[in-house]
Amino acid sequence: MDLYIISFSSFILAAAQKNFLHISRAHDHEPRCYFSRNEGLNRYCISKLYNLNKLSRYVVVKSELAGAGTPDASYSLSEVRLSSKVRGVCFYAVTAIAAISLIGFMIVAHPFVLLFDRYRRKAQHFVAKLWAAATFAPFFKIEYEGLENLPSHDAPAVYVSNHQSFLDIYTLLTLGRSFKFISKTAIFLFPIIGWAMSMMGTIPLKRMDSRSQLECLKRCMDLIGNGASVFFFPEGTRSKDGKLGDFKKGAFSVAAKTRVPVVPITLIGTGGIMPAGMEGVVNSGSVKVIIHKPIKETDPEILRQIARNTILDTLKLRG
């Protein structure tokens, strides 16, 4: 569609250089599209171009709502099934009820957590695991592979995975590891969820702020130095087309400097259930979590390449 618009525009410009353009319809009594240097485009031609532009914008909207790269995950605005919307409403109702029910345990435990487990905060992560499991259970099944590759609870590591959906956080919390996520500062403002994130030790980050990014990396290294683990989505944002994006170096620089392993994790299925940009929809499906063997290297670029290739190859083979 975009090529058609460009070609049509080029055609008009070329005709303008020759001073006149006249496109006839099949019959003389029907409207005509013409251009002259003195008058410009006539109203009929402008109307046709406007309609063409509206159509191209519809195509762009539809393409941006594509899900995880599978035919079942791609919808236009009018094609989203009612059942998926209903499931979406039920999903958020369940997660809200679970969060409200469990936040009290976090609040009561928090003073003791700060005194005895300030960095790992295992008790808070256990409550978060219960919340995620309670939310997932009525809607879809999670299958795990490679659990034996997870480091022990007390062994610090840098965890990384692909990022397809809002559901990725829920999925990863069910692993029961007390790694610290990195989240936009705006999310901390949400009641209950923001409080829980703070009590779990989630690391705030202001995007496009170099000072905040530097502070975030320093905080990650401090946590690892005190025995905690951190989690990165090295793509930086959710994939809208299901394709694996480039990995940023931050996570791997932290791992290299602190000399802890990188644990790659491949998530399959979350993008099909709740596509990026369609957070009000919950489709049917299942999720697979594949934990790969830890990677130990001192060069952050080598770490980055190995981790990305491991996840990419798994997505090609299993996704």
Side-chain angles (χ1 to χ4, degrees):
M1 182 62 68
D2 291 334
L3 290 175
Y4 181 84
I5 294 172
I6 293 169
S7 299
F8 191 57
S9 301
S10 301
F11 180 57
I12 290 175
L13 290 173
Q17 294 174 355
K18 295 183 180 180
N19 199 37
F20 188 78
L21 166 66
H22 182 200
I23 304 176
S24 299
R25 301 282 293 185
H27 304 287
D28 290 338
H29 65 275
E30 293 185 2
R32 295 180 177 181
C33 178
Y34 66 83
F35 173 92
S36 70
R37 182 170 295 176
N38 295 330
E39 300 178 11
L41 286 173
N42 70 328
R43 290 184 179 180
Y44 174 75
C45 199
I46 291 173
S47 175
K48 296 296 285 183
L49 283 173
Y50 175 75
N51 291 334
L52 184 62
N53 185 48
K54 285 200 300 183
L55 179 59
S56 68
R57 280 183 287 174
Y58 167 78
V59 173
V60 170
V61 169
K62 182 173 180 178
S63 68
E64 288 182 348
L65 290 176
T70 61
D72 293 338
S74 182
Y75 305 92
S76 70
L77 288 173
S78 61
E79 291 171 348
V80 178
R81 289 176 296 179
L82 179 61
S83 60
S84 297
K85 294 180 181 179
V86 171
R87 285 166 63 89
V89 171
C90 294
F91 174 86
Y92 286 109
V94 170
T95 197
I97 292 170
I100 293 169
S101 302
L102 294 170
I103 191 67
F105 294 99
M106 278 190 164
I107 294 172
V108 171
H110 197 58
F112 302 98
V113 169
L114 292 178
L115 282 173
F116 302 108
D117 191 19
R118 186 178 188 87
Y119 296 100
R120 295 191 183 95
R121 306 192 182 192
K122 293 180 182 178
Q124 307 294 39
H125 279 269
F126 176 73
V127 175
K129 177 183 177 180
L130 294 178
W131 168 67
T135 301
F136 256 54
F139 300 98
F140 23 80
K141 177 184 176 183
I142 304 178
E143 180 183 346
Y144 302 95
E145 184 178 318
L147 288 173
E148 68 278 4
N149 294 324
L150 284 172
S152 67
H153 289 273
D154 296 327
V158 173
Y159 295 79
V160 298
S161 83
N162 57 312
H163 198 12
Q164 295 183 342
S165 171
F166 177 66
L167 296 179
D168 294 343
I169 301 292
Y170 288 85
T171 304
L172 293 163
L173 284 173
T174 64
L175 289 174
R177 290 297 187 269
S178 54
F179 38 61
K180 310 306 173 194
F181 288 102
I182 298 169
S183 176
K184 295 184 293 185
T185 53
I187 306 298
F188 287 83
L189 301 176
F190 287 93
I192 301 180
I193 298 298
W195 307 339
M197 289 168 57
S198 296
M199 288 186 283
M200 290 168 60
T202 303
I203 304 166
L205 173 67
K206 294 180 181 178
R207 287 187 177 182
M208 310 306 294
D209 185 329
S210 56
R211 178 178 295 181
S212 178
Q213 292 172 0
L214 184 60
E215 290 175 355
C216 175
L217 295 179
K218 288 181 178 179
R219 177 81 180 275
C220 289
M221 288 188 284
D222 180 59
L223 285 166
I224 290 172
N226 285 281
S229 297
V230 294
F231 196 102
F232 286 80
F233 291 112
E235 294 170 275
T237 188
R238 287 168 292 172
S239 172
K240 291 185 177 181
D241 58 6
K243 296 179 181 178
L244 188 67
D246 292 331
F247 278 13
K248 295 177 173 60
K249 290 185 179 180
F252 310 101
S253 295
V254 169
K257 289 179 181 179
T258 55
R259 297 184 180 278
V260 297
V262 171
V263 182
I265 297 176
T266 303
L267 302 177
I268 299 174
T270 54
I273 295 171
M274 184 182 287
M278 299 179 70
E279 281 70 34
V281 170
V282 174
N283 300 310
S284 58
S286 60
V287 175
K288 179 169 287 187
V289 182
I290 303 173
I291 301 101
H292 304 281
K293 292 183 179 180
I295 307 167
K296 294 183 179 180
E297 288 285 347
T298 56
D299 186 334
E301 179 59 24
I302 294 176
L303 279 171
R304 186 184 72 85
Q305 291 179 3
I306 294 175
R308 187 179 186 278
N309 289 339
T310 299
I311 294 174
L312 179 62
D313 290 344
T314 305
L315 288 173
K316 288 181 178 178
L317 183 65
R318 311 281 291 277

